[in-house]
Amino acid sequence: MSDLRFAVRQLGRQPSFTIIAILTLAFGIGVNTSLFSILSGLFLRPQPGVRDAGRLVWVTGTEGRRGRPTNLSYPDFADYREGAARLMSMAAFGNLDVSFSAGGVAERVRGEIVSSNYFDVLGVRMQAGRAFLPDEDRTPETSPVAILGDGIFRRRFAADPAVVGRTVTINGRAFTVVGVAPPRFNGADVTDPNDVWLPMMMQRTAIPEYPDMLTRRGSWWLKGVGRLAPGVTVDAARAALAPVVARIAEANPDRSEIKGVALQSMRGGVVPGDAGDAIPIAALALAVTALVLLIACANVANLLLGRAAARRREIAVRVAMGAARWRVVRQLLIESATLALLAGALGVLFSFWALDLVVGWLNADIPIETNPNAWVLGFALLLSLGTTLLFGLVPALATSRPDLTSALKDNSAGAGSRSRLQGGFVIAQVSLSLVLLVTAGLFLRSLAKAAAVDPGFDASGRVLTVSFNLGLQGYTGQRSRAFLGDLRDRAGALPGVRSVSFADLVPMSGWMHGNDIIPDDSTRPAADAATRGERGISIRQTMVWPGWFATVGVPLVLGRDFTDADHAGAPAVAIVNETLARRLWPDGKALGHRFRVVGGDRELVEIVGVARDAKYDNLSERPQNYIYFALRQNDSRAGETALFVRSSGDAAALTSALRATLHRQDPDLPLRSMRTMGAVVQDRLRDRRNGSVLLGVFGALAAVLAAIGVYGVMAHAVARRTREIGVRIALGAATGDVLRLVLGQGLRLTMFGIVIGVAIAAALTRLLSGLIFGVGVTDAATFLSAAALMVGVALLASWVPARAAARVDPVRALRTE
């Protein structure tokens, strides 16, 4: 306590030093604490509303040699639930979009279709009403009941508990609200915000496009979650499922890609497959914030070394009076710990503000807890104590061993070792800052490269698109075709509209459809011989209406477009992209060839056109095998549909008129995502852009911290060499000579740091190859730009001490000692 009181007095005597040190450390601790709050909310802490999460496990299928996690089919889930009934209770859920209407206002909302014990397995208590009953999970289409999420409960019903028992319309059918989920509960998968939950047996109503999802063992669409019985381990539950997996494999020999089932503890609310995809991003974020903290620690260590010069006499007196070295080190470390703890407290406050800012900026709907808790406070405390060692130990050891004679005489002996240590810390700051700048530069250049890629369609503001789902409104295939035909005529009559068409998805919207095909001839290259089996060639696909290629701006390089004659009764036709045409028919004669779809009917599909390659999922994707099918030939389909409108000017100006047109045709049809194709592409770049901006901000702040470090060292060096500089000036040194002397010293330290930083960055950026597009991870322009920026920052930071040195009065300087 005596040491602590003394530390507080010492820090109070130098408020400027204390404030700068605390703010520097608080920033480093704050950004790390913010990131920890996000990652712990996603991967460690139980979701809001879930009780006793320590006994929860994810239950997934596995595929491939590496056992990648995959979804479950409903028959698989039913078998697993029965096989492990003695050891755990098991629930399943699947994601869905539904048309929700109450009080005459319809909207598209996200939700989950769940087994009746879903909320019981998770330990979730309703804030109003009840959960689903076992009887509501027995017979298909007999239990039209729903549970509302807290968001829609407040948004549409003003948080009125009387909503329980009311009737709402979902996908054109009346459902009775039986409960309301607790606030901030997002479901087992925390990354998908949900407004409504429906019982599993209502699958045909909830997902009308696929009526047999509860009976097909090959339809993998469910995620599983289990609650272990008391005393049961994950290994025991996994062993209980092994015989079930063997029975399923024996009964279904064609499922060779599905290897088995996997169980893992549920930590946080990210399903195993998504968690695996998020690990590289999380690792990069942790590395970046750790580098920022290291730079901050090096900066404060430099400040402490500079401050030690003023305390040399005090430390020498303590040692001369018998203080052991460890006693002096303890005193100095307590001062450092006091700084770190104050910075940690401020950093925690900063982290809560930064967390809200970042989540709001990223438009994240994930319910991340921002309130203080033991996890966050414990992490901040450990981080504060750890930074004490990072920035306090070396200065304490260097200061606690003074040369008593020189220190008591108060001369400059021993300053050289401190100067070398300070120089070492500056080199570390520069090198770490360079690593951050190079990383930020690579991502920014990657973003620029991606934004400059030609997507293969018109990504300007002249094409407007809006999505809706006719199947959710109870439309049949025939009614759907009639609806689309009328809508094409009405939308085409709007002023400024040049063409109108439809497709079953929007390019680069984040949704993809896939299938396998088998060509019906032997003209394929020998390299494709292995694909002649039933599994065929993997392709991506879209179904489009006549005129879609001209409307969206995808050129046809061979053949023809679809026409109204390509209807359900006509021979099946398709248009392939250039990549698939070159793969199957390298002689360029794809027209007229035929193929069939694996798993579909045996009808052969004729190729009538070849379309230019485009980007279908993201701008950085490699060329893909792609097929366009005729939407009008699918007479049974009435599902997700996207309307495309090409305008002669800014298509966004058509938004109100187009919305009114759709409303007049069907007032209850909820619309989703009305935006231009340019906005679609920009939204697809949003995550890359946000990440690049954050890295750029961290890189800039790191450069600022490095500049402060260079300035501190150079200012201290000038103060220490004041007499020498005075002698030089007295002997005739010009202003330029003094400037070169000081700037040269700062530049030498910077160059050492740049050389080390380049070596570190070249080694570490190789780990980013999977996240960078269009730029090599050792891109020379990026490395040179980052190095030049650091040189400029160092020269700017050295300029102020250099100017002060050049103005030294020789007479006063010679009297300083």
Side-chain angles (χ1 to χ4, degrees):
M1 291 305 298
S2 176
D3 287 344
L4 179 61
R5 286 192 295 269
F6 181 78
V8 171
R9 289 198 302 270
Q10 285 289 98
L11 295 176
R13 288 171 183 167
Q14 293 181 299
S16 58
F17 160 81
T18 303
I19 291 173
I20 292 173
I22 288 177
L23 290 178
T24 302
L25 287 175
F27 174 73
I29 293 173
V31 295
N32 279 271
T33 304
S34 297
L35 179 61
F36 177 80
S37 295
I38 294 175
L39 296 182
S40 67
L42 291 175
F43 301 110
L44 297 176
R45 295 167 56 186
Q47 306 95 298
V50 172
R51 292 184 292 109
D52 195 12
R55 289 163 47 202
L56 293 176
V57 294
W58 292 111
V59 184
T60 64
T62 60
E63 64 177 346
R65 293 181 179 178
R66 298 183 179 181
R68 294 184 302 270
T70 186
N71 289 340
L72 306 172
S73 68
Y74 184 79
D76 285 351
F77 158 70
D79 289 342
Y80 294 154
R81 177 173 58 180
E82 181 181 354
R86 293 184 298 103
L87 302 182
M88 70 173 178
S89 53
M90 183 176 168
F93 65 98
N95 303 113
L96 49 80
D97 279 3
V98 296
S99 170
F100 183 92
S101 178
V105 179
E107 64 174 313
R108 284 281 291 276
V109 300
R110 293 283 291 167
E112 288 180 343
I113 185 166
V114 301
S115 56
S116 64
N117 63 340
Y118 176 76
F119 294 98
D120 294 331
V121 169
L122 293 178
V124 175
R125 294 178 178 174
M126 300 294 108
Q127 65 170 305
R130 61 169 176 85
F132 295 130
L133 301 175
D135 288 343
E136 293 166 344
D137 202 13
R138 301 188 191 281
T139 309
E141 299 302 308
T142 58
S143 303
V145 293
I147 292 174
L148 302 181
D150 182 71
I152 199 170
F153 173 57
R154 298 181 184 278
R155 185 175 74 248
R156 294 291 300 270
F157 303 99
D160 183 5
V163 69
V164 176
R166 284 185 54 179
T167 298
V168 297
T169 303
I170 297 176
N171 291 355
R173 181 169 178 176
F175 277 70
T176 302
V177 177
V178 297
V180 179
R184 297 179 60 78
F185 175 70
N186 221 29
D189 183 359
V190 73
T191 59
D192 281 322
N194 296 299
D195 281 321
V196 64
W197 284 269
L198 304 180
M200 188 71 69
M201 290 298 107
M202 298 303 297
Q203 181 269 319
R204 291 179 187 173
T205 298
I207 313 175
E209 302 100 311
Y210 306 100
D212 59 348
M213 294 176 74
L214 293 182
T215 57
R216 286 185 58 204
R217 195 174 287 276
S219 181
W220 300 296
W221 62 289
L222 293 173
K223 304 176 181 69
V225 58
R227 177 174 291 275
L228 299 176
V232 175
T233 65
V234 174
D235 291 338
R238 187 183 297 115
L241 290 177
V244 181
V245 173
R247 286 198 302 271
I248 294 175
E250 183 179 357
N252 301 273
D254 58 323
R255 296 204 331 164
S256 58
E257 71 277 11
I258 302 298
K259 301 298 183 182
V261 65
L263 275 71
Q264 55 184 281
S265 297
M266 180 186 287
R267 297 183 179 90
V270 181
V271 296
D274 293 341
D277 295 337
I279 286 175
I281 303 297
L284 175 62
L286 285 170
V288 167
T289 55
L291 285 178
V292 170
L293 181 59
L294 287 175
I295 294 169
C297 288
N299 206 315
V300 174
N302 250 334
L303 291 174
L304 288 175
L305 283 171
R307 182 169 173 262
R311 301 185 63 186
R312 290 178 61 249
R313 186 178 180 87
E314 171 206 330
I315 301 300
V317 170
R318 289 174 175 270
V319 174
M321 294 180 66
R325 189 185 183 196
W326 71 269
R327 180 68 178 80
V328 176
V329 170
R330 188 184 77 178
Q331 170 63 55
L332 296 175
L333 281 179
I334 286 178
E335 291 183 24
S336 300
T338 303
L339 275 177
L341 290 173
L342 291 173
L346 183 60
V348 169
L349 297 177
F350 167 79
S351 71
F352 296 139
W353 170 80
L355 185 60
D356 290 336
L357 179 67
V358 170
V359 171
W361 178 53
L362 296 177
N363 295 319
D365 294 320
I366 301 172
I368 300 172
E369 288 286 355
T370 58
N371 297 323
N373 60 81
W375 281 95
V376 174
L377 296 180
F379 176 81
L381 177 61
L382 289 175
L383 204 59
S384 301
L385 296 177
T387 55
T388 300
L389 296 177
L390 284 174
F391 75 81
L393 187 58
V394 173
L397 293 174
T399 307
S400 63
R401 203 170 204 173
D403 183 341
L404 293 183
T405 303
S406 61
L408 292 173
K409 289 180 178 179
D410 201 23
N411 63 27
S412 59
S417 61
R418 287 194 304 276
S419 179
R420 286 191 292 273
L421 279 173
Q422 287 183 297
F425 281 124
V426 166
I427 291 172
Q429 285 180 273
V430 171
S431 60
L432 295 177
S433 298
L434 184 74
V435 172
L436 278 180
L437 287 173
V438 166
T439 304
L442 288 174
F443 274 86
L444 288 170
R445 280 178 57 79
S446 175
L447 175 65
K449 289 282 187 180
V453 169
D454 179 8
F457 54 82
D458 189 346
S460 70
R462 292 188 295 270
V463 181
L464 185 68
T465 181
V466 57
S467 298
F468 47 85
N469 193 318
L470 296 175
L472 301 185
Q473 296 299 106
Y475 283 73
T476 61
Q478 185 174 357
R479 278 188 65 202
S480 173
R481 289 196 305 276
F483 179 94
L484 296 182
D486 292 343
L487 179 58
R488 179 182 61 179
D489 296 338
R490 294 184 181 187
L494 294 175
V497 173
R498 296 177 57 184
S499 62
V500 178
S501 191
F502 305 94
D504 64 342
L505 56 78
V506 177
M508 291 184 59
S509 63
W511 295 91
M512 296 282 282
H513 300 318
N515 222 319
D516 290 344
I517 65 165
I518 297 178
D520 188 49
D521 55 50
S522 58
T523 61
R524 291 170 295 143
D528 287 328
T531 67
R532 295 177 186 174
E534 189 63 19
R535 293 188 63 184
I537 299 170
S538 294
I539 57 98
R540 299 292 187 177
Q541 69 179 54
T542 299
M543 290 189 288
V544 303
W545 193 275
W548 183 87
F549 293 94
T551 301
V552 179
V554 177
L556 290 174
V557 296
L558 285 175
R560 67 171 177 86
D561 192 1
F562 298 125
T563 67
D564 288 341
D566 297 318
H567 51 71
V573 294
I575 296 173
V576 300
N577 72 341
E578 294 173 295
T579 295
L580 183 58
R582 282 193 300 267
R583 175 179 178 181
L584 296 181
W585 300 282
D587 58 1
K589 298 179 181 179
L591 298 183
H593 287 285
R594 298 186 298 176
F595 64 87
R596 62 184 177 84
V597 178
V598 174
D601 55 33
R602 295 289 171 169
E603 182 181 11
L604 292 174
V605 183
E606 181 182 353
I607 297 173
V608 297
V610 178
R612 178 187 171 192
D613 282 346
K615 300 297 183 182
Y616 311 103
D617 184 47
N618 60 77
L619 291 171
S620 60
E621 70 185 21
R622 295 179 178 179
Q624 298 191 43
N625 301 321
Y626 212 85
I627 296 180
Y628 302 89
F629 291 96
L631 180 59
R632 286 175 55 84
Q633 291 192 323
N634 192 330
D635 59 354
S636 63
R637 189 182 186 283
E640 190 71 27
T641 305
L643 165 67
F644 295 84
V645 176
R646 172 173 283 275
S647 170
S648 56
D650 181 11
L654 296 171
T655 300
S656 298
L658 191 60
R659 193 183 300 276
T661 299
L662 283 158
H663 183 72
R664 282 195 298 271
Q665 191 156 341
D666 187 342
D668 296 325
L669 180 66
L671 307 179
R672 183 177 69 177
S673 185
M674 184 177 289
R675 51 187 175 164
T676 65
M677 288 304 298
V680 171
V681 173
Q682 290 304 310
D683 285 348
R684 200 64 175 144
L685 287 171
R686 184 181 61 186
D687 291 343
R688 188 184 295 269
R689 182 171 55 249
N690 289 342
S692 299
V693 170
L694 281 177
L695 282 173
V697 170
F698 281 133
L701 291 171
V704 170
L705 290 175
I708 294 173
V710 173
Y711 169 79
V713 168
M714 298 315 301
H716 177 68
V718 168
R720 181 172 53 83
R721 299 175 67 182
T722 299
R723 190 170 187 274
E724 173 197 339
I725 293 171
V727 171
R728 288 175 180 270
I729 295 175
L731 292 175
T735 300
D737 296 326
V738 177
L739 289 175
R740 282 192 293 273
L741 174 69
V742 178
L743 291 176
Q745 182 180 355
L747 192 57
R748 281 193 297 274
L749 293 174
T750 302
M751 294 308 297
F752 276 120
I754 287 175
V755 170
I756 296 173
V758 166
I760 296 174
L764 294 181
T765 52
R766 297 183 185 278
L767 303 175
L768 305 177
S769 58
L771 303 175
I772 302 295
F773 166 74
V775 182
V777 293
T778 56
D779 179 60
T782 302
F783 277 73
L784 289 174
S785 299
L789 179 60
M790 286 308 306
V791 169
V793 167
L795 289 176
L796 183 63
S798 302
W799 177 256
V800 176
R803 289 291 298 171
R807 294 173 180 173
V808 167
D809 183 352
V811 176
R812 296 182 61 184
L814 292 173
R815 291 175 179 173
T816 55
E817 295 189 13

PDB file of all heavy atoms in Angstrom, residues 190-204:
ATOM      1  N   VAL A 190     -27.281 -17.842 -33.526  1.00  0.00           N
ATOM      2  CA  VAL A 190     -27.424 -16.431 -33.170  1.00  0.00           C
ATOM      3  C   VAL A 190     -27.206 -15.515 -34.369  1.00  0.00           C
ATOM      4  O   VAL A 190     -27.581 -14.344 -34.349  1.00  0.00           O
ATOM      5  CB  VAL A 190     -26.437 -16.084 -32.034  1.00  0.00           C
ATOM      6  CG1 VAL A 190     -25.013 -16.032 -32.549  1.00  0.00           C
ATOM      7  CG2 VAL A 190     -26.809 -14.777 -31.352  1.00  0.00           C
ATOM      8  N   THR A 191     -26.600 -16.016 -35.454  1.00  0.00           N
ATOM      9  CA  THR A 191     -26.282 -15.159 -36.591  1.00  0.00           C
ATOM     10  C   THR A 191     -27.480 -14.905 -37.493  1.00  0.00           C
ATOM     11  O   THR A 191     -27.391 -14.076 -38.399  1.00  0.00           O
ATOM     12  CB  THR A 191     -25.161 -15.787 -37.437  1.00  0.00           C
ATOM     13  OG1 THR A 191     -25.584 -17.072 -37.901  1.00  0.00           O
ATOM     14  CG2 THR A 191     -23.890 -15.948 -36.612  1.00  0.00           C
ATOM     15  N   ASP A 192     -28.595 -15.611 -37.293  1.00  0.00           N
ATOM     16  CA  ASP A 192     -29.789 -15.414 -38.120  1.00  0.00           C
ATOM     17  C   ASP A 192     -30.907 -14.819 -37.277  1.00  0.00           C
ATOM     18  O   ASP A 192     -31.520 -15.513 -36.459  1.00  0.00           O
ATOM     19  CB  ASP A 192     -30.266 -16.742 -38.716  1.00  0.00           C
ATOM     20  CG  ASP A 192     -29.443 -17.164 -39.911  1.00  0.00           C
ATOM     21  OD1 ASP A 192     -29.060 -16.277 -40.688  1.00  0.00           O
ATOM     22  OD2 ASP A 192     -29.169 -18.362 -40.048  1.00  0.00           O
ATOM     23  N   PRO A 193     -31.214 -13.530 -37.429  1.00  0.00           N
ATOM     24  CA  PRO A 193     -32.313 -12.938 -36.658  1.00  0.00           C
ATOM     25  C   PRO A 193     -33.647 -13.529 -37.085  1.00  0.00           C
ATOM     26  O   PRO A 193     -33.900 -13.725 -38.279  1.00  0.00           O
ATOM     27  CB  PRO A 193     -32.226 -11.443 -37.007  1.00  0.00           C
ATOM     28  CG  PRO A 193     -31.515 -11.393 -38.322  1.00  0.00           C
ATOM     29  CD  PRO A 193     -30.572 -12.549 -38.338  1.00  0.00           C
ATOM     30  N   ASN A 194     -34.488 -13.835 -36.127  1.00  0.00           N
ATOM     31  CA  ASN A 194     -35.754 -14.503 -36.405  1.00  0.00           C
ATOM     32  C   ASN A 194     -36.923 -13.743 -35.795  1.00  0.00           C
ATOM     33  O   ASN A 194     -36.828 -13.225 -34.678  1.00  0.00           O
ATOM     34  CB  ASN A 194     -35.738 -15.933 -35.842  1.00  0.00           C
ATOM     35  CG  ASN A 194     -34.692 -16.802 -36.516  1.00  0.00           C
ATOM     36  OD1 ASN A 194     -34.727 -17.029 -37.718  1.00  0.00           O
ATOM     37  ND2 ASN A 194     -33.718 -17.283 -35.748  1.00  0.00           N
ATOM     38  N   ASP A 195     -38.023 -13.710 -36.553  1.00  0.00           N
ATOM     39  CA  ASP A 195     -39.240 -13.046 -36.089  1.00  0.00           C
ATOM     40  C   ASP A 195     -40.360 -14.019 -35.764  1.00  0.00           C
ATOM     41  O   ASP A 195     -41.328 -13.647 -35.100  1.00  0.00           O
ATOM     42  CB  ASP A 195     -39.738 -12.056 -37.148  1.00  0.00           C
ATOM     43  CG  ASP A 195     -38.963 -10.753 -37.137  1.00  0.00           C
ATOM     44  OD1 ASP A 195     -38.628 -10.280 -36.035  1.00  0.00           O
ATOM     45  OD2 ASP A 195     -38.684 -10.216 -38.221  1.00  0.00           O
ATOM     46  N   VAL A 196     -40.255 -15.261 -36.252  1.00  0.00           N
ATOM     47  CA  VAL A 196     -41.355 -16.197 -36.045  1.00  0.00           C
ATOM     48  C   VAL A 196     -40.801 -17.622 -36.034  1.00  0.00           C
ATOM     49  O   VAL A 196     -39.816 -17.925 -36.713  1.00  0.00           O
ATOM     50  CB  VAL A 196     -42.430 -16.025 -37.145  1.00  0.00           C
ATOM     51  CG1 VAL A 196     -41.875 -16.384 -38.512  1.00  0.00           C
ATOM     52  CG2 VAL A 196     -43.685 -16.832 -36.842  1.00  0.00           C
ATOM     53  N   TRP A 197     -41.434 -18.461 -35.223  1.00  0.00           N
ATOM     54  CA  TRP A 197     -41.107 -19.891 -35.179  1.00  0.00           C
ATOM     55  C   TRP A 197     -42.377 -20.693 -35.470  1.00  0.00           C
ATOM     56  O   TRP A 197     -43.450 -20.387 -34.920  1.00  0.00           O
ATOM     57  CB  TRP A 197     -40.565 -20.285 -33.808  1.00  0.00           C
ATOM     58  CG  TRP A 197     -39.150 -19.854 -33.572  1.00  0.00           C
ATOM     59  CD1 TRP A 197     -38.017 -20.566 -33.831  1.00  0.00           C
ATOM     60  CD2 TRP A 197     -38.713 -18.604 -33.040  1.00  0.00           C
ATOM     61  NE1 TRP A 197     -36.899 -19.837 -33.488  1.00  0.00           N
ATOM     62  CE2 TRP A 197     -37.296 -18.632 -32.985  1.00  0.00           C
ATOM     63  CE3 TRP A 197     -39.378 -17.462 -32.589  1.00  0.00           C
ATOM     64  CZ2 TRP A 197     -36.546 -17.564 -32.513  1.00  0.00           C
ATOM     65  CZ3 TRP A 197     -38.629 -16.397 -32.126  1.00  0.00           C
ATOM     66  CH2 TRP A 197     -37.225 -16.454 -32.094  1.00  0.00           C
ATOM     67  N   LEU A 198     -42.236 -21.715 -36.317  1.00  0.00           N
ATOM     68  CA  LEU A 198     -43.356 -22.571 -36.688  1.00  0.00           C
ATOM     69  C   LEU A 198     -43.017 -24.018 -36.350  1.00  0.00           C
ATOM     70  O   LEU A 198     -41.844 -24.414 -36.399  1.00  0.00           O
ATOM     71  CB  LEU A 198     -43.655 -22.464 -38.189  1.00  0.00           C
ATOM     72  CG  LEU A 198     -43.925 -21.058 -38.743  1.00  0.00           C
ATOM     73  CD1 LEU A 198     -44.199 -21.138 -40.241  1.00  0.00           C
ATOM     74  CD2 LEU A 198     -45.091 -20.406 -38.017  1.00  0.00           C
ATOM     75  N   PRO A 199     -44.016 -24.842 -36.031  1.00  0.00           N
ATOM     76  CA  PRO A 199     -43.730 -26.252 -35.721  1.00  0.00           C
ATOM     77  C   PRO A 199     -43.318 -27.017 -36.978  1.00  0.00           C
ATOM     78  O   PRO A 199     -43.763 -26.728 -38.092  1.00  0.00           O
ATOM     79  CB  PRO A 199     -45.053 -26.759 -35.139  1.00  0.00           C
ATOM     80  CG  PRO A 199     -46.083 -25.824 -35.648  1.00  0.00           C
ATOM     81  CD  PRO A 199     -45.431 -24.494 -35.817  1.00  0.00           C
ATOM     82  N   MET A 200     -42.489 -28.032 -36.789  1.00  0.00           N
ATOM     83  CA  MET A 200     -41.924 -28.793 -37.902  1.00  0.00           C
ATOM     84  C   MET A 200     -42.996 -29.393 -38.804  1.00  0.00           C
ATOM     85  O   MET A 200     -42.822 -29.474 -40.027  1.00  0.00           O
ATOM     86  CB  MET A 200     -41.018 -29.894 -37.339  1.00  0.00           C
ATOM     87  CG  MET A 200     -40.222 -30.643 -38.384  1.00  0.00           C
ATOM     88  SD  MET A 200     -38.909 -29.636 -39.121  1.00  0.00           S
ATOM     89  CE  MET A 200     -37.793 -29.470 -37.715  1.00  0.00           C
ATOM     90  N   MET A 201     -44.096 -29.814 -38.238  1.00  0.00           N
ATOM     91  CA  MET A 201     -45.126 -30.488 -39.023  1.00  0.00           C
ATOM     92  C   MET A 201     -45.858 -29.547 -39.989  1.00  0.00           C
ATOM     93  O   MET A 201     -46.632 -30.003 -40.823  1.00  0.00           O
ATOM     94  CB  MET A 201     -46.142 -31.163 -38.095  1.00  0.00           C
ATOM     95  CG  MET A 201     -45.589 -32.364 -37.350  1.00  0.00           C
ATOM     96  SD  MET A 201     -45.064 -33.726 -38.452  1.00  0.00           S
ATOM     97  CE  MET A 201     -43.277 -33.602 -38.326  1.00  0.00           C
ATOM     98  N   MET A 202     -45.583 -28.254 -39.893  1.00  0.00           N
ATOM     99  CA  MET A 202     -46.197 -27.296 -40.826  1.00  0.00           C
ATOM    100  C   MET A 202     -45.246 -26.984 -41.987  1.00  0.00           C
ATOM    101  O   MET A 202     -45.347 -25.945 -42.633  1.00  0.00           O
ATOM    102  CB  MET A 202     -46.576 -26.012 -40.085  1.00  0.00           C
ATOM    103  CG  MET A 202     -47.588 -26.197 -38.981  1.00  0.00           C
ATOM    104  SD  MET A 202     -49.139 -26.956 -39.567  1.00  0.00           S
ATOM    105  CE  MET A 202     -49.708 -25.720 -40.715  1.00  0.00           C
ATOM    106  N   GLN A 203     -44.374 -27.918 -42.308  1.00  0.00           N
ATOM    107  CA  GLN A 203     -43.340 -27.673 -43.316  1.00  0.00           C
ATOM    108  C   GLN A 203     -43.929 -27.375 -44.699  1.00  0.00           C
ATOM    109  O   GLN A 203     -43.430 -26.507 -45.418  1.00  0.00           O
ATOM    110  CB  GLN A 203     -42.390 -28.884 -43.383  1.00  0.00           C
ATOM    111  CG  GLN A 203     -41.248 -28.735 -44.380  1.00  0.00           C
ATOM    112  CD  GLN A 203     -41.601 -29.278 -45.753  1.00  0.00           C
ATOM    113  OE1 GLN A 203     -42.225 -30.329 -45.867  1.00  0.00           O
ATOM    114  NE2 GLN A 203     -41.232 -28.564 -46.815  1.00  0.00           N
ATOM    115  N   ARG A 204     -44.974 -28.069 -45.091  1.00  0.00           N
ATOM    116  CA  ARG A 204     -45.520 -27.838 -46.427  1.00  0.00           C
ATOM    117  C   ARG A 204     -46.067 -26.427 -46.573  1.00  0.00           C
ATOM    118  O   ARG A 204     -45.948 -25.815 -47.635  1.00  0.00           O
ATOM    119  CB  ARG A 204     -46.621 -28.855 -46.726  1.00  0.00           C
ATOM    120  CG  ARG A 204     -46.109 -30.283 -46.887  1.00  0.00           C
ATOM    121  CD  ARG A 204     -47.257 -31.233 -47.165  1.00  0.00           C
ATOM    122  NE  ARG A 204     -46.814 -32.619 -47.164  1.00  0.00           N
ATOM    123  CZ  ARG A 204     -47.618 -33.663 -47.238  1.00  0.00           C
ATOM    124  NH1 ARG A 204     -48.940 -33.466 -47.321  1.00  0.00           N
ATOM    125  NH2 ARG A 204     -47.132 -34.894 -47.210  1.00  0.00           N
TER     126      ARG A 204
END
